[in-house]
Amino acid sequence: MIRTFDEALYQIRTWCISLVLALVLLYPAQATAHGGLKSSHPGKNEVVAGRLTEIRLDFSEKPELAVTSLRLANSRGDIIDLGRTALKGNSITAPLDHDLAPGRYHVEWKTAGRDGHPVSGDFYFEIANPDLTPPLVVGEG
């Protein structure tokens, strides 16, 4: 039996703290997490020296290929055709059917994880000139 007001207040505080701790520890962290882009090849703002054969996006969880789109454009906004997108583990790959000319390129992607939550993003990379000097990018200067 509780004897004083202070003891009752202490018991209520203890119960509330215990409840909050139990909720934090028992609630799965994955329930509120959404898959996102962990890395890519080429990477954001990477200057690629040599031949690029594919675009690869590595996600924190397995993306749903059926709702995934990947778009590549050059510095003028022209869309570059990619090969068939494939799923390998937590990665999406799209082969390049031909060599890219030196210049700046823009990758845009959209997908969803197993929870159905859509995620999207974009990044730029550059293809270096054969002599490894930076490419001249149309529209900059």
Side-chain angles (χ1 to χ4, degrees):
M1 179 165 206
I2 301 173
R3 296 186 196 169
T4 67
F5 177 75
D6 287 338
E7 288 174 336
L9 190 58
Y10 176 78
Q11 188 175 11
I12 290 171
R13 275 192 228 158
T14 302
W15 186 85
C16 288
I17 290 171
S18 298
L19 179 63
V20 168
L21 284 174
L23 289 174
V24 168
L25 294 174
L26 295 176
Y27 188 72
Q30 290 288 341
T32 58
H34 301 296
L37 186 67
K38 285 177 33 179
S39 63
S40 65
H41 177 73
K44 180 179 179 181
N45 298 321
E46 180 178 345
V47 177
V48 178
R51 186 169 189 262
L52 184 64
T53 60
E54 70 178 10
I55 304 292
R56 187 185 74 241
L57 306 176
D58 303 316
F59 293 93
S60 58
E61 67 178 45
K62 185 176 180 179
E64 293 294 329
L65 187 58
V67 295
T68 297
S69 66
L70 183 60
R71 189 178 97 153
L72 178 64
N74 64 19
S75 60
R76 293 185 307 267
D78 301 326
I79 303 301
I80 308 298
D81 289 331
L82 297 170
R84 185 178 178 150
T85 304
L87 178 64
K88 297 176 185 173
N90 286 3
S91 299
I92 296 288
T93 58
L96 291 164
D97 294 332
H98 55 277
D99 291 343
L100 296 177
R104 188 170 187 193
Y105 292 86
H106 184 207
V107 175
E108 292 180 287
W109 58 268
K110 295 178 186 175
T111 192
R114 66 178 176 255
D115 66 355
H117 181 82
V119 290
S120 62
D122 71 315
F123 62 92
Y124 292 87
F125 69 91
E126 294 181 14
I127 300 293
N129 288 310
D131 62 2
L132 301 181
T133 58
L136 176 62
V137 178
V138 176
E140 291 187 3

